Amino acid sequence: MSDTTDQVTEREVGRSRPRKEDARLVTGQTNWTDNINVNGLLHLAILRSPMAHARIDRVDVAPARERPGVIAAFSGRDLAEGLGSLPCAWPVTEDIVLPDHPPIAVDEVRYAGDPVAVVVARDRYAAADALEAIEVDYEPLPPVLDLEAALTEGSPLVHADKGTNRCYVWPLATGESYETVRERADVVLRRRYHQQRLIPNAMEPRAVVVTPLAASGEYTVYSSTQIPHILRIMLSVVTGVPEHKLRVIAPDVGGGFGSKLQVYGEEALALAVAQRLGRPVKWTESRSEGYLATHHGRGMIQDIEIAATREGGLLGLKVDLLADMGAYLMLVTPGIPILGAFMYPAIYKMDAYDFTCTGVFTTRTPTDAYRGAGRPEATYAIERIMDELAAELGLDPVELRRRNWIRHEEFPYTAIAGLTYDSGNYEAATDKALALFGYDELRAEQQRRNERGDVVRLGIGVSTYTEMCGLAPSRVLRDLRYAAGGWEAASIRMLPTGKVEVVTGTSPHGQGHVTCWSQIAADVLGVPFEDVEVVHGDTRSAPQGMDTYGSRSLVVGGAAVHHAAQKVVEKARKVAAHLLEANEHDLEFTHGVFSVKGSPEARKSIQEIAFATFSSHDLPDGMEPTINAEHLVDPENFSYPHGTHLCAVEVDTETGRTTIRSYVCVDDVGRVINPMIVEGQVHGGIAQGIAQALYEEAVYDDEGNLVSGTMADYLVPTAVDLPEFVTDRTETPATSNPLGAKGVGESGTIASTPAVVNAIVDALRPLGVTEVTMPCTPQRVWDALGQAHSAKEASA
């Protein structure tokens, strides 16, 4: 037990503490799902369809059963009984088309990679080898790949029983009629942008281990998941195993980026096979398998129209989206574009907003959450068309934004899409970014180079953004037809020795929750940072939670930790008052010590109170012998980080190559718990956004085969491909949570992509280029220059 002389006086919140998690990770003392081995473990391998769309005429797994080391093999029909449809938790409209989604195909495959059969063997290599022995007869069906063609009459259907490829139509119209404001506009611009499909590339592949306890019918599921609590519920629904008989553990999880915010067929199959065989089962994906079977991100056509006055005042915005659902609706597939619906107006004031999203089925890998989830797509579209409007009006892009953004004195402000932004200062973030960037000097250099007709052109890109984080008030989610709530849980356990256990319902996969939650709890309780342990990712030891996604962990989960710790202090206050023979209201609590006002020598540390409560020899009458506490937070609002990102690029007009010369960002993420972790999140997010702008794209051929199915074909940038980032912050605390935090996990991804593409187009605009489709590869830049040159010659 600590004594009262060894108390902490320096605040933890705001300190750049090295992450507690890292020592174990960097020394290899990790517990990835694939590291888990138990007695009698069997290995699962999955045969996947090589065709994008086909009827299954015959599956013969008998030859695989004869292979050495094979224990069992099953077709989809063998496993169909007892397996329900994989869940979609976000049916965004009442009339949404919801096709069945079997974990393994029975009669028809609908994308290349759809599971067809499984083999179970004594080791993973024997299982993989035996897949070759399975005989499958397919009857090819036409693929469905083009989003617009898929909606035309007579198009082949992904789900013939549904009679349409249209999944849903979701409208939102606010403010005045868009057509009315369009009529009075001096300038109306319309642009089409393509959000290419992206493939998540978490460092750790997906994996699952299921261990049965036959005597009691219980199962422990280890999975590299972001959502152990949600996974437990959904696996129960899909497999019929009672929820109280399931324990889900997310061990060390090596990244997710949204790809592990999912209930996958492989998790259900592993559980079903473990049920049948009564043996532990493991499945781990290969990289190429993951490219086919892990859900993809983005995949969208954006038709954007903006109406403005001659002076650059925004009047209205019209957004029409075609969103690629892929072959099936996974956990939150339909809702991802809808999240972006509220962000297209961004930080700008206008009179009318008209949004429509149409979800479309195709014979491609299903889409779902990918870092930013709808908000990067929205930010890209509005920031690109704002640059186009600036060019049309002959205004500097920053000046156009200044004329239209919400000013700091106007907060809280209800934006045109209906959200109330609680705090912000776009002017401060932008001014700081411009100064760090040397904006005026770069513009002057750009003008000189353009006047000389340099082969290598300089471009300057601007991106001013806000995003909605902290998903979300449960009643708002109800109104959006989302099945779950947005609350989060935490509990604090004060141990008899004065040490602290924080139990959180969030489930980290690289964000630094253990470190930040320790800092929050240490400050409230006044105990040393080193004395706090954080328990997470296990539905038995942390039974309540809504998990990690949508930049919600700190602003919701961290707030729950703060409130639970405050409850501990208030419970401890009662014991301290009793022991000190004082009135509760006469006690001060500072740096972990209760003292009597005016008599500072009369004191008890919270560690002493913890032991006194454990011994329970002298407690107030009627008090339970514990000062432990729990708290559930249901946020009252989203939180709204914002910032300004600036990018300077040099584009070689002879080769099409783009080089990022400098990148500056100033983000406002509210009050910062750990600056070092914030820096890491911003750097990682910018890298991911640059990757979309310049490198990454999931490419399919005309038959629906993924041709960018390996790391040799799908370009993921490394550190040597990226520039140095200059980062800084402004701070306007959030008012919706006691920490004042806003969230940072996705900000860099949201802001960076349009900054880079705006810079490329800015460099080439004097040569007639107004659009380069992402990713802006040298070939695409070269093609855009060629088309602009041809158009100029044709008009001459």
Side-chain angles (χ1 to χ4, degrees), residues 226-475:
Q226 297 174 219
I227 53 167
H229 298 90
I230 294 172
L231 179 60
R232 182 191 189 204
I233 296 167
M234 295 306 188
L235 281 180
S236 177
V237 171
V238 173
T239 65
V241 177
E243 185 183 350
H244 67 289
K245 297 290 187 179
L246 278 175
R247 177 186 184 185
V248 175
I249 300 173
D252 293 319
V253 177
F257 311 117
S259 70
K260 295 172 184 174
L261 165 57
Q262 195 54 265
V263 177
Y264 282 105
E266 293 87 354
E267 291 161 321
L269 290 174
L271 179 53
V273 169
Q275 277 183 283
R276 290 201 174 211
L277 301 181
R279 297 271 297 275
V281 172
K282 177 192 286 187
W283 172 80
T284 302
E285 70 179 1
S286 66
R287 280 289 174 190
S288 56
E289 187 178 22
Y291 274 36
L292 287 170
T294 297
H295 75 239
H296 292 178
R298 314 286 194 252
M300 187 184 293
I301 297 173
Q302 303 170 305
D303 287 313
I304 312 297
E305 186 173 290
I306 197 165
T309 66
R310 190 173 293 105
E311 294 74 28
L314 298 187
L315 297 175
L317 181 69
K318 182 173 174 58
V319 177
D320 289 295
L321 306 183
L322 291 180
D324 187 351
M325 303 287 98
Y328 296 101
L329 302 182
M330 299 193 76
L331 190 65
V332 291
T333 301
I336 297 303
I338 306 310
L339 274 178
F342 301 97
M343 289 287 100
Y344 280 85
I347 65 175
Y348 306 117
K349 295 181 285 189
M350 59 189 72
D351 299 327
Y353 175 49
D354 191 317
F355 173 95
T356 304
C357 178
T358 302
V360 184
F361 290 113
T362 63
T363 52
R364 286 188 280 238
T365 300
T367 59
D368 209 295
Y370 181 88
R371 196 172 188 174
R375 289 102 77 203
E377 298 94 309
T379 301
Y380 182 84
I382 185 63
E383 290 303 287
R384 280 289 298 114
I385 204 164
M386 284 295 284
D387 260 35
E388 294 302 301
L389 180 60
E392 180 75 15
L393 296 171
L395 290 173
D396 180 273
V398 175
E399 176 57 27
L400 177 65
R401 288 163 170 83
R402 287 188 192 278
R403 294 184 184 186
N404 290 285
W405 64 36
I406 303 157
R407 302 196 64 80
H408 70 275
E409 64 269 14
E410 296 178 278
F411 289 96
Y413 185 91
T414 300
I416 187 69
L419 299 178
T420 299
Y421 301 169
D422 64 324
S423 67
N425 192 327
Y426 309 140
E427 306 97 299
T430 302
D431 289 344
K432 182 178 270 193
L434 292 172
L436 289 170
F437 191 62
Y439 185 81
D440 292 339
E441 294 85 348
L442 282 168
R443 283 293 183 201
E445 179 187 344
Q446 179 187 45
Q447 183 174 350
R448 292 193 299 272
R449 291 170 67 162
N450 287 345
E451 289 170 352
R452 290 197 303 264
D454 284 5
V455 169
V456 178
R457 294 297 179 107
L458 175 64
I460 298 167
V462 181
S463 174
T464 52
Y465 78 99
T466 189
E467 58 155 328
M468 53 194 287
C469 292
L471 295 178
S474 294
R475 291 181 179 182

Side-chain angles (χ1 to χ4, degrees), residues 201 287-288 291 695 697 707-716:
N201 277 276
R287 280 289 174 190
S288 56
Y291 274 36
Y695 298 102
E697 182 178 22
V707 297
S708 56
T710 71
M711 282 188 146
D713 310 300
Y714 184 92
L715 301 182
V716 179

Side-chain angles (χ1 to χ4, degrees), residues 143-189:
V144 179
L145 302 171
D146 184 279
L147 294 180
E148 292 177 301
L151 298 176
T152 61
E153 187 174 352
S155 169
L157 298 175
V158 180
H159 299 276
D161 60 318
K162 301 301 181 184
T164 181
N165 290 321
R166 182 178 283 103
C167 176
Y168 67 87
V169 177
W170 193 92
L172 175 68
T174 62
E176 297 181 44
S177 160
Y178 176 77
E179 294 306 319
T180 300
V181 302
R182 188 183 194 277
E183 288 177 4
R184 68 171 188 262
D186 300 313
V187 177
V188 177
L189 291 183

Side-chain angles (χ1 to χ4, degrees), residues 731-796:
E731 183 176 304
T732 54
T735 63
S736 57
N737 66 80
L739 303 171
K742 293 184 175 181
V744 71
E746 297 164 296
S747 298
T749 308
I750 288 166
S752 55
T753 306
V756 174
V757 178
N758 277 343
I760 293 169
V761 175
D762 183 65
L764 303 179
R765 195 181 298 279
L767 301 175
V769 174
T770 59
E771 177 61 17
V772 180
T773 301
M774 293 189 294
C776 302
T777 61
Q779 181 67 56
R780 284 185 173 162
V781 170
W782 171 259
D783 289 344
L785 284 164
Q787 291 165 11
H789 181 71
S790 298
K792 184 177 180 180
E793 285 190 335
S795 62

